[in-house]
Amino acid sequence: MRVKEMAKGWLLSFCFLLVVNCVRVHASEDLQPYRTAFHFQPLKNWMNGPMYFNGVYHLFYQYNPFGPLWGNISWGHSISHDLVNWFILEPALSPKEPYDVGGCLSGSTTILHGSKPIILYTGLELNNSQVQNLAYPKNLSDPLLKDWVKWSGNPILTPVNDINLTQFRDPSTAWMGPDGKWRIVIGSEIIKGQATALLYYSTDGFNWTRSDKPLHFSSKTNMWECPDFYPVSTIGKDGIDTSFQGNNTMHVLKVSFNSHEYYVIGTYDPKIDQFLVVNNDFSVSTTQFRYDYGRFYASKSFYDSAKKRRVLWGWVNEGDLDLDDVKRGWSGLQSFPRSIWLSDTRKQLVQWPVDEIKKLRAKQVNMENVELKGGSLLEVPGISGSQADIEVAFSLSNLSDAEIINSNTSDPESLCEQNNVFMSGRFGPFGVLVLASKNLTEHTAVFFRVFKGPNKFQVLMCSDQRRSSMEVVDNSTYGAFLDLDPLHEKISLRSLVDHSIVESFGGEGLACITARVYPKLAINEHAKVYVFNNGSKGVTMSSLNAWNMNKAQIVPMD
Ligand SMILES: *[C@@H]1O[C@H](CO)[C@@H](O)[C@H](O)[C@H]1NC(C)=O
Ligand SMILES: *[C@@H]1O[C@H](CO)[C@@H](O)[C@H](O)[C@H]1NC(C)=O
Ligand SMILES: *[C@@H]1O[C@H](CO)[C@@H](O)[C@H](O)[C@H]1NC(C)=O
Ligand SMILES: *[C@@H]1O[C@H](CO)[C@@H](O)[C@H](O)[C@H]1NC(C)=O
Ligand SMILES: *[C@@H]1O[C@H](CO)[C@@H](O)[C@H](O)[C@H]1NC(C)=O
Ligand SMILES: *[C@@H]1O[C@H](CO)[C@@H](O)[C@H](O)[C@H]1NC(C)=O
Ligand SMILES: *[C@@H]1O[C@H](CO)[C@@H](O)[C@H](O)[C@H]1NC(C)=O
Ligand SMILES: *[C@@H]1O[C@H](CO)[C@@H](O)[C@H](O)[C@H]1NC(C)=O
Ligand SMILES: *[C@@H]1O[C@H](CO)[C@@H](O)[C@H](O)[C@H]1NC(C)=O
Ligand SMILES: *[C@@H]1O[C@H](CO)[C@@H](O)[C@H](O)[C@H]1NC(C)=O
Ligand SMILES: *[C@@H]1O[C@H](CO)[C@@H](O)[C@H](O)[C@H]1NC(C)=O
């Protein structure tokens, strides 16, 4: 990932180390109302290559061990047995060698032949040249894989020929083709100006040669970062190993650009390395599918062989000022890990928080079949709203009066901005207010509106941060359409609220929106949850289940 883009993502630091070392995590809550309880906050942000190996989940992430600003980028390393509670280890890689002295940037892990993990990562040289390097565990018998050795053959790839030396980074997890060769893609913008997923082959995982054609490219977008390429099953939610060869699969190519995670779905023929996109190809248009329509970048997925699922994580950066981050001493966190699979329509992906999150659920509040007339506002009692998991479903019956929009030309984000929570529509806005202060001066609204489009009803999902804080911080509004039929399906929402992050899943995971918020009043036990309907038409809240969430254990090892 690019240095300039990373600058906002500086992470964390001394304060966090001190707090954790003194086991003063609870006492620090008043001072640190934005520090999350169950979203992983390393000492730094954005991710590299997670993996599951020998019963242990490994999370690697970009980390500055020496301060809260971007710099000295190392590979932070934490391990977990359940994706919820984490032990923080010493960094796996630090910038020391001529081929990575400017930073050990993003990359991926691959488990060669199911037994030999390797890290492929981008190193920044002093002259700003980006090169690819390899590291392997020092001691395969160490279940934590604490120590990593940089290979003596580094760098394994340098930017030659038409590769721009500052636009060559983020090797993917390798997959094996029917010829027994490993393949990776690397993000680039080649000199003739095309965003490209460069393809490389290797027989041993160490010695790589470039294919004469890329896996995919586009002249319509900026440089691609952090490419991810993996199969998804067409017959269920189970994940598939990255090297799986067989029927009933399609392939996903995800790339990062313009601060967003864009993906396309296609068919892949590994014999000729041909990837054919079946939906819209990459563009910056608002109809392009994204993993998340809020703050979420530089994500990586991995195949979890223990639970037969593909798990996705992303880096969620801060929305406040750099100065605030410095004062706090940290910046950036990880999304909650999500299972990811192909929808029944095969047109898009579906994401859902991994089941292990339920371990943290404490007190539950349940409501069933509540009619919400136009203008309703109802507090969800008994929920301390700064750490909550909220699931709610709405049903609508007669939509013949729905307002009309031309969804061809409608950008969901600007529709959310115009048709906000204060504008009464017909069907909606209805949804939840989270991190709400007692007098509602502060609240983050996550809500829906239903329109009549050219061929079908359009369900709009919004997350509005304009009233999240008394201070003007990040006042953005995010939006997405949900591909569901509101006459016959419920409109559901799940929001994971964790102090300064609201991670929302609409339509059982058809669209995700992650927001960062910095309330002044609605902090800790002062945060409340409401359901509301500000449309003129009634809505049935068919069910609401909300849980207070316990704090996960995220502590240094030893
Ligand atoms: C961190 O990086 C800076 C320059 O980027 C360098 O001057 C400094 O020595 C590094 N610190 C450590 C402890 O490596
Ligand atoms: C950049 O520096 C490295 C390490 O000193 C060197 O091997 C490489 O040739 C340099 N690249 C360019 C393009 O100057
Ligand atoms: C490798 O790890 C195992 C398990 O932790 C340990 O018993 C062994 O001593 C380690 N070997 C070396 C050479 O450090
Ligand atoms: C390489 O990329 C940089 C950054 O986008 C750009 O400024 C530069 O012009 C590119 N170099 C070439 C030779 O295209
Ligand atoms: C690396 O692979 C290439 C192409 O397969 C081959 O020509 C070369 O000899 C290999 N190099 C080493 C050091 O194995
Ligand atoms: C895939 O399907 C084809 C045609 O139905 C069949 O011949 C082949 O054996 C299947 N391959 C695998 C790996 O299941
Ligand atoms: C649906 O609502 C419209 C407008 O309010 C009304 O004219 C129509 O009779 C209703 N249809 C049903 C089946 O209730
Ligand atoms: C919307 O898009 C569809 C399919 O692309 C097209 O047939 C239709 O004419 C468009 N409608 C408008 C109002 O632009
Ligand atoms: C609903 O809209 C009214 C103004 O039309 C506004 O005063 C009220 O705060 C809104 N309700 C919610 C829950 O935002
Ligand atoms: C809500 O409470 C805060 C803090 O007491 C106060 O500053 C603010 O003016 C109140 N807002 C309203 C609308 O009463
Ligand atoms: C949002 O914040 C920006 C500055 O961060 C400010 O210029 C803009 O006026 C704000 N918009 C609203 C609607 O408050």
Side-chain angles (χ1 to χ4, degrees):
M1 139 188 276
R2 194 181 303 197
V3 176
K4 260 192 238 143
E5 280 166 4
M6 291 188 306
K8 188 67 185 85
W10 9 345
L11 297 188
L12 175 48
S13 62
F14 299 120
C15 297
F16 180 71
L17 285 173
L18 288 174
V19 168
V20 172
N21 286 346
C22 309
V23 196
R24 283 183 46 232
V25 171
H26 289 286
S28 73
E29 266 168 13
D30 286 346
L31 298 171
Q32 288 274 7
Y34 307 138
R35 193 146 180 95
T36 55
F38 60 93
H39 282 82
F40 181 84
Q41 278 193 298
L43 319 181
K44 292 297 264 307
N45 51 25
W46 141 62
M47 6 222 320
N48 294 304
M51 70 170 176
Y52 176 83
F53 182 66
N54 279 355
V56 179
Y57 295 102
H58 296 258
L59 172 64
F60 298 100
Y61 46 93
Q62 298 283 284
Y63 173 52
N64 179 355
F66 304 109
L69 307 188
W70 187 90
N72 305 92
I73 289 297
S74 306
W75 272 47
H77 184 193
S78 292
I79 59 108
S80 173
H81 294 98
D82 60 6
L83 292 173
V84 172
N85 300 294
W86 293 89
F87 288 110
I88 299 171
L89 308 181
E90 289 300 312
L93 303 172
S94 301
K96 287 201 177 94
E97 306 299 327
Y99 53 77
D100 65 13
V101 65
C104 299
L105 308 187
S106 282
S108 300
T109 54
T110 298
I111 303 169
L112 297 176
H113 307 293
S115 61
K116 284 193 199 146
I118 55 164
I119 283 174
L120 296 175
Y121 71 100
T122 300
L124 198 56
E125 301 189 330
L126 275 186
N127 51 22
N128 262 339
S129 181
Q130 297 173 356
V131 299
Q132 316 311 324
N133 302 312
L134 185 148
Y136 52 88
K138 189 172 186 181
N139 180 0
L140 266 181
S141 314
D142 169 12
L144 305 183
L145 304 179
K146 272 188 279 213
D147 299 316
W148 290 77
V149 179
K150 294 175 190 171
W151 187 40
S152 58
N154 285 343
I156 57 170
L157 291 169
T158 56
V160 289
N161 302 327
D162 59 344
I163 301 173
N164 186 327
L165 77 156
T166 65
Q167 309 275 51
F168 180 50
R169 54 188 178 264
D170 311 334
S172 72
T173 293
W175 71 96
M176 185 180 272
D179 54 4
K181 283 187 190 157
W182 294 100
R183 289 144 166 82
I184 52 169
V185 282
I186 298 178
S188 187
E189 179 172 333
I190 55 176
I191 279 168
K192 62 187 157 174
Q194 269 169 351
T196 306
L198 297 168
L199 180 67
Y200 290 81
Y201 297 108
S202 174
T203 50
D204 59 3
F206 285 66
N207 175 23
W208 293 88
T209 49
R210 183 173 164 189
S211 162
D212 53 13
K213 62 184 174 87
L215 183 73
H216 203 57
F217 64 90
S218 170
S219 46
K220 294 191 186 147
T221 75
N222 299 334
M223 146 101 197
W224 292 347
E225 300 190 286
C226 300
D228 199 6
F229 186 64
Y230 55 88
V232 283
S233 171
T234 55
I235 50 170
K237 298 180 178 181
D238 279 359
I240 332 180
D241 185 86
T242 314
S243 292
F244 177 84
Q245 288 165 31
N247 296 323
N248 306 317
T249 63
M250 294 183 85
H251 269 73
V252 176
L253 176 63
K254 183 279 300 184
V255 298
S256 307
F257 59 86
N258 279 8
S259 305
H260 296 306
E261 299 290 279
Y262 294 93
Y263 70 86
V264 294
I265 296 168
T267 56
Y268 169 59
D269 180 349
K271 289 193 200 79
I272 50 172
D273 285 305
Q274 185 179 56
F275 176 62
L276 296 173
V277 175
V278 297
N279 56 0
N280 295 339
D281 210 340
F282 289 111
S283 71
V284 289
S285 105
T286 54
T287 55
Q288 177 73 52
F289 281 119
R290 284 160 51 180
Y291 278 167
D292 194 296
Y293 296 85
R295 269 181 199 282
F296 186 91
Y297 197 66
S299 71
K300 286 278 170 169
S301 72
F302 70 99
Y303 177 62
D304 176 355
S305 55
K307 296 260 166 86
K308 294 199 172 17
R309 62 186 171 184
R310 183 158 288 272
V311 178
L312 172 74
W313 291 67
W315 167 51
V316 184
N317 71 354
E318 300 298 323
D320 59 356
L321 300 175
D322 294 354
L323 195 67
D324 298 320
D325 303 349
V326 174
K327 249 190 258 169
R328 264 202 313 268
W330 55 267
S331 157
L333 48 92
Q334 298 300 140
S335 70
F336 198 80
R338 307 168 177 178
S339 290
I340 185 164
W341 67 91
L342 189 63
S343 77
D344 294 341
T345 66
R346 299 189 186 182
K347 286 188 199 144
Q348 68 161 107
L349 297 170
V350 183
Q351 299 166 65
W352 200 241
V354 298
D355 234 33
E356 288 90 331
I357 195 172
K358 293 179 180 160
K359 285 184 169 195
L360 297 176
R361 284 176 171 175
K363 185 183 163 191
Q364 180 180 5
V365 172
N366 166 261
M367 295 160 102
E368 302 277 336
N369 291 318
V370 179
E371 292 303 320
L372 298 173
K373 291 206 187 72
S376 305
L377 176 70
L378 184 65
E379 185 180 346
V380 179
I383 284 292
S384 153
S386 58
Q387 284 172 218
D389 182 354
I390 301 161
E391 286 188 318
V392 57
F394 300 96
S395 55
L396 306 173
S397 47
N398 180 350
L399 285 166
S400 57
D401 282 348
E403 294 141 278
I404 291 167
I405 52 162
N406 177 2
S407 62
N408 289 25
T409 53
S410 303
D411 162 20
E413 195 166 294
S414 45
L415 269 179
C416 287
E417 219 164 85
Q418 293 150 22
N419 297 277
N420 63 43
V421 63
F422 304 111
M423 304 275 279
S424 180
R426 287 191 202 143
F427 294 97
F430 57 85
V432 298
L433 305 180
V434 299
L435 292 168
S437 66
K438 197 173 168 191
N439 68 7
L440 289 179
T441 290
E442 290 185 340
H443 62 251
T444 298
V446 189
F447 62 89
F448 301 103
R449 292 203 56 174
V450 179
F451 299 97
K452 208 180 276 173
N455 322 306
K456 58 172 191 160
F457 291 111
Q458 290 283 344
V459 180
L460 179 70
M461 172 182 174
C462 305
S463 179
D464 187 343
Q465 288 70 247
R466 281 175 293 183
R467 294 289 292 275
S468 296
S469 177
M470 283 173 72
E471 288 179 1
V472 177
V473 198
D474 173 358
N475 56 9
S476 52
T477 302
Y478 303 128
F481 286 117
L482 298 181
D483 185 17
L484 59 79
D485 172 4
L487 263 188
H488 302 104
E489 293 171 81
K490 287 177 180 152
I491 301 178
S492 75
L493 172 69
R494 180 164 182 197
S495 286
L496 305 180
V497 182
D498 191 2
H499 295 268
S500 61
I501 180 170
V502 179
E503 200 177 351
S504 298
F505 300 79
E508 310 273 301
L510 289 173
C512 304
I513 303 182
T514 298
R516 296 301 306 281
V517 297
Y518 307 91
K520 294 284 160 190
L521 305 170
I523 60 172
N524 299 332
E525 69 278 10
H526 304 296
K528 295 180 175 297
V529 178
Y530 295 84
V531 290
F532 74 97
N533 174 17
N534 239 0
S536 59
K537 299 282 183 176
V539 171
T540 304
M541 180 172 76
S542 34
S543 65
L544 177 141
N545 287 290
W547 292 264
N548 284 335
M549 296 295 278
N550 288 327
K551 199 176 169 73
Q553 198 184 38
I554 302 173
V555 294
M557 193 97 207
D558 298 325

